[in-house]
Amino acid sequence: MKELIVGEVLKPQGIRGEIKVKPFTDCAEDFKRFKRIFLDGEEYKILSVRAGAGEAYLGLRGVHDRNAAELLRGKKITVPREEAPEPEEGRYYIADLLESEIFTEEGERLGVLSDIRQAATDIYTLKDGEKEILFPAVRGVITQIDVAQKRISVDKKRFYEVAVL
């Protein structure tokens, strides 16, 4: 089962076991679409969700008080990929892009996407054997993404202008 990391537990919220979550999704409201989440492989049914100030607040079955919520602090929240909402056109889940082969538009294979670091502009890491190349996912560099074929095309000239070799 492929899982997506969709957030991180920041801290308990209040005394009734609610947790404050930093979402890794486009919007904290996305948590309203989930019926369950996983923390360290353990399933939790979502009883309540509210969003505000860019964060989500979750009430979970089995987390009855602040002490129980405190034990979840810092844990990554995952959901099965098939239960996640489909991203908008032109948007992608990191898990769907990882391990994609990267080619120039001319067909030259550059390597495999091994990591994406989220920042103001995502930073992609491609591996070619032992060599790692970092490049920003900025306009004009990536020309096409085919999730089904696990293939990303880049503009060769622009790629070498911005890549950190």
Side-chain angles (χ1 to χ4, degrees):
M1 171 173 70
K2 192 178 202 180
E3 290 188 336
L4 297 176
I5 299 172
V6 294
E8 179 180 0
V9 178
L10 295 175
K11 66 181 188 116
Q13 181 69 28
I15 61 171
R16 293 199 171 107
E18 192 175 51
I19 57 172
K20 182 178 183 178
V21 172
K22 175 184 178 184
F24 296 160
T25 59
D26 286 338
C27 174
E29 297 282 333
D30 289 340
F31 277 82
K32 292 181 178 180
R33 297 179 177 178
F34 303 134
K35 295 187 183 335
R36 64 185 179 146
I37 60 169
F38 291 83
L39 298 163
D40 286 344
E42 189 173 338
E43 181 179 341
Y44 291 87
K45 182 176 181 194
I46 297 176
L47 301 176
S48 65
V49 179
R50 60 188 179 88
E55 279 132 359
Y57 301 89
L58 307 180
L60 304 175
R61 177 173 283 155
V63 182
H64 302 292
D65 60 26
R66 187 174 183 88
N67 291 335
E70 183 64 46
L71 296 173
L72 304 177
R73 183 188 291 260
K75 294 187 185 237
K76 300 287 191 233
I77 300 170
T78 61
V79 296
R81 171 62 182 95
E82 59 273 5
E83 292 179 19
E86 284 305 311
E88 296 174 15
E89 181 73 30
R91 312 264 315 168
Y92 307 94
Y93 287 115
I94 290 173
D96 291 342
L97 296 179
L98 292 177
E99 303 303 317
S100 293
E101 290 191 282
I102 300 177
F103 291 87
T104 65
E105 291 178 312
E106 294 79 23
E108 175 188 347
R109 185 180 182 281
L110 298 174
V112 174
L113 183 63
S114 64
D115 189 30
I116 297 175
R117 297 179 189 144
Q118 292 182 297
T121 299
D122 290 347
I123 306 297
Y124 286 19
T125 302
L126 86 86
K127 283 190 96 163
D128 183 22
E130 293 297 311
K131 182 172 71 171
E132 282 190 349
I133 300 172
L134 281 71
F135 67 96
V138 294
R139 183 175 303 177
V141 176
I142 297 174
T143 57
Q144 184 179 20
I145 294 177
D146 186 337
V147 173
Q149 297 294 317
K150 302 286 280 181
R151 183 182 174 108
I152 298 172
S153 297
V154 297
D155 179 281
K156 184 176 182 176
K157 180 180 182 291
R158 186 79 173 112
F159 174 82
Y160 284 110
E161 288 175 351
V162 298
V164 178
L165 306 173

